[in-house]
Amino acid sequence: MTNLTEFKRWENSISRMHFPKWEELPSLGLYVDQVAAVINENLTSSGMEPLTKSMINNYVKKKTIQAPIKKKYAVNQIVDLLLIGFFKNTFAIDDIRRGILQITSKDYPKQAYDRFVEILNARLRNETIPTNPNFDPANEQLMNFGIDAVLAGLKARYLLKMMAKESQVEKDNHENKE
C-alpha cells in the first residue's frame, strides 16, 4: 500500500499557498521577465508549471492577453497571466479566455479576480467559502467548478508521481535482492 505521508505533507504545503489579491500585485508597469518572476512565484509553489517569457509573448501575439504598453505590463495583464497559468494544465487557452470574459462581463475585473482569490484560498485551506451576495451566482459556480477541477488535477498528478517513484524504489529493491 502506498505511503501517503509525503502526499499529505505536500497537500499541507499547498494549503499554505496564498494567491495574491489585486492590491497585492505590483501596480507599476513590469517588463516581461519581471512579470514571469511574479507569476511563477505564485504558481510553482503549488507544483504548477511556470510560464516562460516565450509563452507570455505568444499569449500577446495571439491576443490572449492585451499587449503591453511600451513593453510594460499592467496589473490587469498580470491577473490574466496568473489565471492562465493556474488553469492552463486543465483547460484550453480559449476556454480560459472565454471564462474570464464571461465572469468580467457582469462584474468588474478587480472584483471578479478578488472573488476568485477568496474562493481559491478558501478551497486550498478546506475552509468554508465566504458568501458574497453581490456576486453573480452563475459566475461564482463557474469559478468553483474551475478551481475544483484544477486542484483535483494537481492532486492526482502529484499522487501519481509519488506512486510511480515509490513503485520504482520497490522495483529497484527487488532487482537488488536477486
Side-chain angles (χ1 to χ4, degrees), residues 76-88:
N76 62 314
Q77 293 150 314
I78 294 170
V79 164
D80 282 351
L81 289 166
L82 274 169
L83 293 171
I84 289 168
F86 180 80
F87 287 111
K88 75 181 176 74

Side-chain angles (χ1 to χ4, degrees), residues 62-130:
K62 293 179 180 181
K63 298 187 186 316
T64 304
I65 66 165
Q66 293 176 338
I69 298 172
K70 295 181 183 178
K71 297 186 180 184
K72 289 190 176 183
Y73 291 79
V75 176
N76 62 314
Q77 293 150 314
I78 294 170
V79 164
D80 282 351
L81 289 166
L82 274 169
L83 293 171
I84 289 168
F86 180 80
F87 287 111
K88 75 181 176 74
N89 286 329
T90 306
F91 298 100
I93 298 298
D94 289 342
D95 289 339
I96 297 168
R97 188 75 245 159
R98 230 179 359 262
I100 291 170
L101 291 173
Q102 169 59 44
I103 289 170
T104 57
S105 71
K106 294 182 180 177
D107 294 288
Y108 292 110
K110 179 185 180 301
Q111 285 79 10
Y113 175 73
D114 283 349
R115 184 63 182 154
F116 164 81
V117 169
E118 282 179 342
I119 294 168
L120 173 60
N121 288 337
R123 283 278 199 257
L124 288 168
R125 290 167 186 74
N126 290 318
E127 296 172 349
T128 303
I129 298 168

Side-chain angles (χ1 to χ4, degrees), residues 30-40 51-53 56-57 71 73:
L30 300 179
Y31 292 107
V32 71
D33 54 334
Q34 296 168 311
V35 169
V38 168
I39 302 296
N40 294 331
L51 290 184
T52 64
K53 292 190 301 188
I56 293 169
N57 289 330
K71 297 186 180 184
Y73 291 79

Side-chain angles (χ1 to χ4, degrees), residues 146-171:
I147 289 168
D148 289 347
V150 170
L151 294 179
L154 253 180
K155 290 176 182 183
R157 283 190 294 277
Y158 189 87
L159 185 58
L160 183 60
K161 180 175 127 183
M162 188 195 73
M163 292 168 76
K165 187 165 82 172
E166 186 173 296
S167 181
Q168 185 62 46
V169 168
E170 288 174 4
K171 181 181 172 189

